[in-house]
Amino acid sequence: MIWLVGSRGMLGTELALALTKSALPFLGTDREVDITSRENLDSFAEKYQNDSSAGQPGRIDWIINCAAYTAVDRAEDEAEACRLLNVSGSANIAAAAARIGARLIHISTDYVFDGEGMEDEARVKRPYREDDAPNPQSVYGATKWEGEQAVLKINPYSYIIRTAWLYGRYGKNFVNTMLRLMTEQNRVTVVNDQRGSPTWAKDLAAAVVLLIKAKDIPYGIYHYTNKGDIVWYDFAGKIAEQAFVDGLIKVKCTVVPCTSASFPSRVKRPAYSVLDKTKITKALALEIPVWNSSLSMYLKELCS
């Protein structure tokens, strides 16, 4: 039995669909189980740990934590609320997993890094690896990093998956925002000085399912995004191009580049947040889809 925490969010919804498709039994919870309350989590876990009612296997073997405070700018003013969810909540889930002997998959973010990038031996910028030192530059990033540390300390039988630029059908995200704007106007302005790797939530969900089905995968931190990297401006351009072809927008939209300074923010967005996927690719013998092919498939799904 799998306990999916945060089952109604963007990734949680995709995971629920992927688990159902794979015939993996799961229990989905969202705000009705308060992750900031250890007693609430323990009560739920104990209730289902040996309950085989309704034809459900009783023992919880896995917990997937998709719950998080993700409002990056608002977190600067709501640091306590952000920390409560991302640190205390994550620690409580890890403790619940440890008490019932469950393995844990915890979703994290590229914001644990400073967004300046790393350099290889030739002093060329390279993607962030799992063993690179985090250096978060925001309340959100700091709390996600503290949450990672808490999870690994409390339950060593844990996998942490860092991702970035996540989009999908079931939540607010860059792709859906662009599609809305492109139906309202024929010109959008997008920053061209932030580089990363888009990630379709459906692809990430499939990788999580593969991890659950795999055997003898070492616990620890892994990175997952779609393959390749791009700046937001070029990503928006591809969205505009493909959405017009697919009929999602009726008039061609012009995408205009600008710098981050044109959109002042409480939080400095990462200039470079490309993540190295070598570790998870080797561990799961995984062929990660390229970002543009996943985007094309996502937009075609929206047409159906």
Side-chain angles (χ1 to χ4, degrees), residues 245-266:
V245 170
D246 291 341
L248 291 169
I249 59 176
K250 304 305 180 184
V251 179
K252 286 187 177 180
C253 183
T254 301
V255 182
V256 180
C258 70
T259 66
S260 297
S262 300
F263 291 96
S265 169
R266 293 291 306 279

Side-chain angles (χ1 to χ4, degrees), residues 130-131 145 148 152 158-162 218-223 279:
E130 289 83 352
D131 57 356
W145 167 228
E148 287 186 10
L152 292 176
S158 295
Y159 299 96
I160 290 172
I161 301 179
R162 293 175 181 150
Y219 298 105
I221 300 172
Y222 292 82
H223 290 168
K279 184 178 177 182

Side-chain angles (χ1 to χ4, degrees), residues 212-285:
I212 290 171
K213 289 182 173 182
K215 295 181 179 179
D216 302 321
I217 305 301
Y219 298 105
I221 300 172
Y222 292 82
H223 290 168
Y224 184 96
T225 64
N226 281 126
K227 189 182 294 184
D229 58 83
I230 199 167
V231 295
W232 288 115
Y233 161 72
D234 289 328
F235 189 31
K238 186 63 177 178
I239 294 167
E241 174 188 321
Q242 188 64 48
F244 179 73
V245 170
D246 291 341
L248 291 169
I249 59 176
K250 304 305 180 184
V251 179
K252 286 187 177 180
C253 183
T254 301
V255 182
V256 180
C258 70
T259 66
S260 297
S262 300
F263 291 96
S265 169
R266 293 291 306 279
V267 175
K268 181 183 177 183
R269 293 307 198 264
Y272 185 89
S273 61
V274 184
L275 302 177
D276 188 304
K277 278 81 70 176
T278 303
K279 184 178 177 182
I280 198 168
T281 300
K282 290 182 176 179
L284 298 178

Side-chain angles (χ1 to χ4, degrees), residues 37 74 76 103:
S37 167
R74 196 165 71 237
E76 299 299 311
R103 288 165 286 183

